Amino acid sequence: MPTPLDLTLLLLATAVIGVVLFRFLHLPPMLGYLSVGILIGPHALGLVPNLKSTSYLAEFGVVFLMFSIGLEFSLPKLKSMKRQVFGLGASQVLLTMLLAVPASLALRFAYPLSWQAALALGGALSMSSTAIVSKILSERLELETEHGRNIVSVLLFQDLAVVLLLILVPSLGKNPTDLVVALSIALVKVALALALILFLGHKLMSRWFHIVAARRSQELFMLNLLLITLGMGALTEHLGLSMALGAFLAGMLISETPYRHQVEEDIKPFRDVLLGLFFVTIGMLLNIKVVAENLPLVLFLLMGPVLLKFALITGLARAFGSSAGVAIRTGLGLAQAGEFGFVLLRQIDGMDLVDPVLSQAILAAMLLSMLAAPFLILYSDRIAMRFSSSEWLLQSLAMTKIAAQTLQTEKHAIICGYGRTGQSLARMLEQENLPYVALDLDPDRVQAATDAGESVVYGDAGRRESLAAAGIDRAELVVVTYADTPSALRVLHHVKELAPGVPVIVRTVDDSDLDKLRAAGAAEVVPEIIEGSLMLSSHALVLLGVPMRRVVRRTQQARDARYSMLRGYFHGADDSADDLDDSAHVRLQTVQLPAVGKAIGCTLGELQLQEMGVEVAAIRRAGIRSVAPVAQTLMQGGDVLVLRGLPEALAAAETHLLQT
């Protein structure tokens, strides 16, 4: 029997290996957690003999997930999307649950199901994966497309429906009379809790968080946050409801305070780690032997619900006004199972509503559907165009519209993304009477800009067809105005194929991807942090009395050097908290030479630091700082060298310089 420490180390090690592998394959980490759980669980390798030691802790992952959803619960947001959320979303959940009852007849000969069990399973199968789908749509820049909005709306209603399903499912194990009484009592409790929160909690929570924040202690703020989240969960649990419901209500409370964004960032590490542990325990539930013995049943339960949800959601999307292609993409994006389906399935298992073998088959089918989700979304365009006779025409019309608008345009700039940065660039081009064509994926923004007479069309700059229709072969310049490296790399790839002579300027957040983008063909990369530091330095110099002409010259010199002088920073204790991969960032580091050593008396060139990937940005000697020293500079004892490079190279260079 492993000790708690052994179990913790095992879970951490396997989780890290699983997530690294799945990230390498460009798959969501959640699938890595599930696979790890299957592998180390009691039904496979048996490294974790039972779940009691981890299941309760793993439930906190769901608690923090529901808390995060509560933070996102916004009445204005719901109001703006009410037709899709409460129309399309509500119809999908309700119809899936209702259709599960007659669909259960297909299993009645082998696994008889009561209507309560079928309804509960319908609730579990109606869920889709918010974690997987939202991340993939974000990476593909499809959140603001029509099918993206449909998917997000349905996911939002599913998240809200979980609150009610967590109350409904435990009540289904009772007889009809007790069921009505239990549901009535539960709804009264929820109504009282909501009333208490809405009328009293908001003001009290705002004042209390203000008191805590005024103490200016990050530790106190974090302790208070955990107390509120777990305290509300414990309160609802003592009322006979779920901890997840209490956490959701706590998130709703804090979402109306000015501290919402700080809270969201602080809770994220707890949520992600514990939610990962929850998915590991879900994977442990799967009995590979039972699944292998009932493989036809697993495949039936995989294909049946996925096809049912796809057909249902596609039909509903069409009924709510979406085109055939958009409806198919919406259905493909939501056809898989979801993380809350596992939560509900665990509740169902605890009530003995479903045969254990059938439960194992359902669990396996849900896992397989989530594994298939990234591929369904990845190929959704091809599937939509294959099965929708009008999709080819719509795509052709979209490309024709772009081509028609740019047909008479030449020597123009193609602006990828028409957000604030893209619009500012367009204004400056207009002032210089330079032609441009902007591509954007936000239909509302495109419509508003088109109505204003601006040269903006709906199109994905990351698609080869869109760039070709925008006249890439006649363009003088392409500018990627949004900070998204994967999308920028796609644009660079297509430009290199279609018009290799056209320069591309790319915007990034910092300089961590500068070399990658340059290698892909970017003529220039503009990091926001470096430009911000230039402007900040300029204002500081002016306010300190430095003549404006000298400030402008300094700034121009920095830009003329293509940012090389600013590519690096001195590492501080708070930097590692902000950077997920700090080893990929160029740093500045100072090294003081000893009075006696191998480097003393050598020239800077003889030290061969550049071969180690390190550049000497400056040398300070006797209090005098020399910037960009020449290779003939002789090293003296006590010299302070300012080195620029990656952390690993800097460590090697420091060891080399300090040799005696």
Side-chain angles (χ1 to χ4, degrees):
M1 184 71 181
T3 66
L5 178 59
D6 294 336
L7 183 60
T8 302
L9 290 175
L10 174 65
L11 290 174
L12 288 175
T14 53
V16 168
I17 294 171
V19 171
V20 167
L21 177 61
F22 274 73
R23 290 298 297 171
F24 180 77
L25 297 173
H26 303 289
L27 295 173
M30 185 179 68
L31 301 181
Y33 289 123
L34 291 169
S35 301
V36 163
I38 296 171
L39 187 65
I40 67 174
H43 306 298
L45 297 180
L47 299 178
V48 181
N50 64 78
L51 302 177
K52 292 182 180 179
S53 52
T54 57
S55 59
Y56 188 75
L57 180 62
E59 288 179 8
F60 286 117
V62 180
V63 168
F64 285 116
L65 178 61
M66 288 299 294
F67 177 81
S68 299
I69 291 172
L71 285 176
E72 295 295 327
F73 187 84
S74 167
L75 291 177
K77 181 179 180 180
L78 283 179
K79 187 176 181 180
S80 66
M81 302 169 65
K82 60 184 179 182
R83 188 170 184 270
Q84 288 85 1
V85 174
F86 296 105
L88 180 59
S91 301
Q92 182 266 321
V93 173
L94 291 174
L95 288 176
T96 302
M97 293 179 65
L98 293 175
L99 289 174
V101 177
S104 65
L105 296 176
L107 299 172
R108 64 181 302 178
F109 299 104
Y111 301 98
L113 289 174
S114 64
W115 68 268
Q116 292 97 329
L119 196 64
L121 288 175
L125 296 174
S126 69
M127 299 291 108
S128 303
S129 178
T130 302
I132 292 177
V133 177
S134 59
K135 182 171 181 58
I136 295 176
L137 290 180
S138 177
E139 290 177 348
R140 288 167 58 89
L141 302 178
E142 294 181 356
L143 286 173
E144 292 299 330
T145 60
E146 187 177 350
H147 68 273
R149 291 185 177 187
N150 285 345
I151 291 172
V152 170
S153 298
V154 174
L155 290 173
L156 181 57
F157 184 85
Q158 288 178 358
D159 292 340
L160 297 177
V162 168
V163 177
L164 295 176
L165 289 173
L166 288 173
I167 299 171
L168 173 65
V169 170
S171 303
L172 290 174
K174 304 175 181 179
N175 61 56
T177 304
D178 293 339
L179 172 61
V180 174
V181 173
L183 284 178
S184 301
I185 294 174
L187 290 175
V188 169
K189 290 178 180 179
V190 173
L192 289 175
L194 285 172
L196 183 65
I197 286 172
L198 293 176
F199 290 103
L200 296 177
H202 174 55
K203 293 182 180 179
L204 292 175
M205 192 66 69
S206 296
R207 291 175 182 175
W208 175 245
F209 264 85
H210 179 72
I211 292 172
V212 172
R215 306 285 74 80
R216 299 183 182 278
S217 170
Q218 183 66 24
E219 180 182 0
L220 177 61
F221 191 88
M222 193 70 244
L223 286 171
N224 177 66
L225 178 57
L226 292 175
L227 174 65
I228 296 296
T229 306
L230 298 179
M232 288 289 289
L235 177 63
T236 52
E237 188 176 43
H238 287 308
L239 289 174
L241 304 172
S242 68
M243 288 181 63
L245 175 60
F248 175 80
L249 297 177
M252 283 182 58
L253 271 180
I254 298 174
S255 70
E256 300 298 327
T257 70
Y259 306 99
R260 168 189 166 183
H261 297 291
Q262 179 64 37
V263 166
E264 192 170 13
E265 288 301 313
D266 287 345
I267 207 72
K268 190 179 294 183
F270 294 93
R271 180 197 67 193
D272 293 345
V273 171
L274 292 173
L275 193 59
L277 182 57
F278 168 76
F279 287 125
V280 171
T281 60
I282 290 297
M284 292 179 188
L285 295 173
L286 187 65
N287 190 330
I288 299 295
K289 183 179 179 181
V290 174
V291 172
E293 292 173 351
N294 298 273
L295 190 58
L297 176 63
V298 172
L299 295 177
F300 172 77
L301 292 172
L302 168 64
M303 299 302 296
V306 167
L307 292 175
L308 174 66
K309 285 179 68 176
F310 167 70
L312 175 63
I313 295 170
T314 301
L316 287 172
R318 287 286 286 159
F320 278 86
S322 297
S323 66
V326 170
I328 290 174
R329 291 185 181 90
T330 303
L332 290 171
L334 295 167
Q336 82 292 134
E339 45 270 11
F340 282 117
F342 294 128
V343 178
L344 296 171
L345 189 61
R346 288 187 69 170
Q347 281 192 336
I348 295 168
D349 287 341
M351 295 157 47
D352 295 327
L353 285 175
V354 179
D355 183 275
V357 174
L358 179 60
S359 179
Q360 283 291 316
I362 293 173
L363 177 63
M366 291 171 68
L367 288 174
L368 290 173
S369 73
M370 294 175 74
L371 286 169
F375 303 101
L376 288 176
I377 298 175
L378 179 64
Y379 294 104
S380 59
D381 285 340
R382 296 184 185 180
I383 296 172
M385 286 188 284
R386 182 175 181 83
F387 290 98
S388 172
S389 58
S390 62
E391 186 65 15
W392 277 106
L393 179 60
L394 291 173
Q395 292 284 343
S396 300
L397 288 174
M399 295 302 107
T400 302
K401 185 176 181 180
I402 298 174
Q405 188 159 337
T406 63
L407 191 60
Q408 303 299 323
T409 306
E410 58 182 19
K411 295 185 177 181
H412 58 289
I414 298 178
I415 301 175
C416 304
Y418 204 62
R420 294 178 64 180
T421 303
Q423 292 172 39
S424 298
L425 173 60
R427 302 288 180 275
M428 298 188 73
L429 293 176
E430 286 179 345
Q431 291 170 6
E432 296 295 330
N433 294 319
L434 295 173
Y436 72 89
V437 173
L439 298 170
D440 198 88
L441 283 172
D442 188 331
D444 295 335
R445 183 187 295 151
V446 170
Q447 185 62 50
T450 303
D451 293 342
E454 299 178 14
S455 183
V456 185
V457 290
Y458 181 85
D460 182 1
R463 292 187 61 195
R464 177 192 177 97
E465 295 82 359
S466 298
L467 290 172
I472 184 66
D473 57 326
R474 304 186 304 274
E476 287 283 308
L477 176 69
V478 175
V479 184
V480 181
T481 65
Y482 47 81
D484 184 90
T485 299
S487 178
L489 290 172
R490 288 199 298 270
V491 173
L492 289 166
H493 174 74
H494 295 319
V495 172
K496 196 172 182 179
E497 284 188 343
L498 296 170
V502 176
V504 183
I505 300 175
V506 180
R507 168 190 163 201
T508 63
V509 175
D510 55 30
D511 60 348
S512 60
D513 293 324
L514 193 148
D515 293 330
K516 184 189 300 183
L517 291 164
R518 286 268 179 85
E524 189 55 87
V525 182
V526 182
E528 295 175 356
I529 289 178
I530 291 180
E531 280 300 314
S533 68
L534 278 175
M535 293 305 298
L536 186 65
S537 303
S538 301
H539 286 291
L541 291 173
V542 169
L543 292 174
L544 289 172
V546 179
M548 178 61 75
R549 182 176 299 176
R550 191 183 304 171
V551 172
V552 172
R553 187 172 68 252
R554 295 286 188 199
T555 305
Q556 189 60 44
Q557 286 173 350
R559 290 197 173 106
D560 288 344
R562 289 181 178 269
Y563 305 101
S564 62
M565 190 172 69
L566 294 179
R567 282 189 61 203
Y569 64 96
F570 290 105
H571 187 69
D574 59 342
D575 288 322
S576 58
D578 298 327
D579 297 320
L580 292 177
D581 186 12
D582 198 54
S583 62
H585 290 270
V586 177
R587 291 188 193 171
L588 293 176
Q589 180 175 324
T590 58
V591 177
Q592 185 172 12
L593 299 182
V596 178
K598 291 185 177 180
I600 307 304
C602 296
T603 64
L604 187 58
E606 290 172 344
L607 293 176
Q608 298 181 336
L609 295 176
Q610 287 188 341
E611 295 181 11
M612 304 174 67
V614 173
E615 179 184 0
V616 179
I619 297 178
R620 183 165 59 84
R621 178 179 297 167
I624 300 175
R625 188 170 184 266
S626 173
V627 179
V630 296
Q632 292 76 26
T633 305
L634 285 173
M635 298 295 99
Q636 298 180 10
D639 284 352
V640 177
L641 277 62
V642 181
L643 307 179
R644 177 168 51 239
L646 295 175
E648 186 176 348
L650 290 173
E654 182 179 16
T655 302
H656 177 64
L657 290 171
L658 297 180
Q659 287 181 353
T660 57

